[in-house]
């Protein structure tokens, strides 16, 4: 069995310059996706980890993120960052799994298991970890 090739891109901060639909962060993301698409072999999976957008309440930035990520040469898994908003994200990415009100999930079907854990703590710069998240994680690690 071949091991999957996983790419990861973090702190995209789409919408840092919200009034510019061709802002630097979007240009940089397009270039990254083009580079991944030109690779041989191409990645099997892309982990896009927060901060996905600069301002979590900014639906325009999530829409721009979705449009650009449609160029990804492989499936994309998303993880929240402290600038993100679960509600705004879920409105545009409704197929991303959730559990207990968090955007976290397990991905099987590769040569390894991937756990995406939502540590977004609204109003805090750093992440959070509570009993609910700990129970979800423990159940998947068993």
């Amino acid at each position: 069995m071949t091991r999957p090739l996983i790419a990861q891109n973090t702190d995209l901060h789409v919408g840092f310059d919200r009034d510019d639909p061709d802002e630097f962060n979007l240009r940089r993301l397009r270039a990254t996706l083009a580079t991944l698409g030109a690779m041989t072999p191409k990645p099997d999976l892309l982990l896009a980890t927060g901060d996905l957008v600069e301002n979590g309440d900014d639906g325009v930035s999530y829409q721009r993120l979705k449009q650009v990520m449609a160029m990804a040469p492989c499936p994309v898994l998303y993880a929240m960052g402290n600038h993100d908003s679960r509600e705004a994200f879920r409105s545009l990415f409704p197929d991303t799994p959730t559990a207990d009100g968090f955007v976290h999930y397990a991905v099987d079907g590769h040569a390894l298991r991937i756990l995406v854990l939502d540590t977004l703590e609204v109003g805090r710069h750093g992440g959070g970890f509570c009993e609910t998240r700990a129970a979800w994680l423990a159940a998947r690690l068993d």
Side-chain angles (χ1 to χ4, degrees):
M1 174 187 302
T2 61
R3 292 185 300 179
L5 179 59
I6 299 173
Q8 191 248 349
N9 198 356
T10 191
D11 288 298
L12 307 176
H13 287 276
V14 171
F16 187 80
D17 187 2
R18 185 180 181 272
D19 294 331
D20 182 359
D22 193 39
E23 68 171 308
F24 177 72
N25 288 349
L26 284 172
R27 290 194 313 268
R28 182 173 51 190
L29 179 56
R30 285 187 202 100
T32 299
L33 296 175
T35 299
L36 294 175
M39 290 174 58
T40 303
K42 289 180 180 35
D44 297 297
L45 188 65
L46 172 60
L47 296 173
T49 57
D51 300 313
L52 301 172
V53 299
E54 176 65 20
N55 178 351
D57 294 330
D58 181 2
V60 170
S61 294
Y62 280 115
Q63 182 62 46
R64 289 177 182 161
L65 172 68
K66 184 175 184 171
Q67 290 170 344
V68 171
M69 286 305 220
M71 300 170 37
C74 56
V76 180
L77 300 180
Y78 296 95
M80 300 284 95
N82 65 293
H83 284 233
D84 292 304
S85 162
R86 292 180 191 97
E87 294 76 25
F89 172 81
R90 291 282 299 143
S91 71
L92 286 161
F93 297 87
D95 295 333
T96 301
T98 61
D100 303 318
F102 298 105
V103 180
H104 52 227
Y105 49 95
V107 178
D108 295 306
H110 297 277
L112 60 126
R113 183 169 207 215
I114 300 170
L115 299 178
V116 176
L117 180 66
D118 179 345
T119 61
L120 172 62
E121 191 71 33
V122 177
R124 285 195 61 210
H125 183 70
F129 192 68
C130 61
E131 290 181 19
T132 302
R133 290 180 262 214
W136 180 89
L137 182 60
R140 268 110 207 123
L141 293 174
D142 280 345

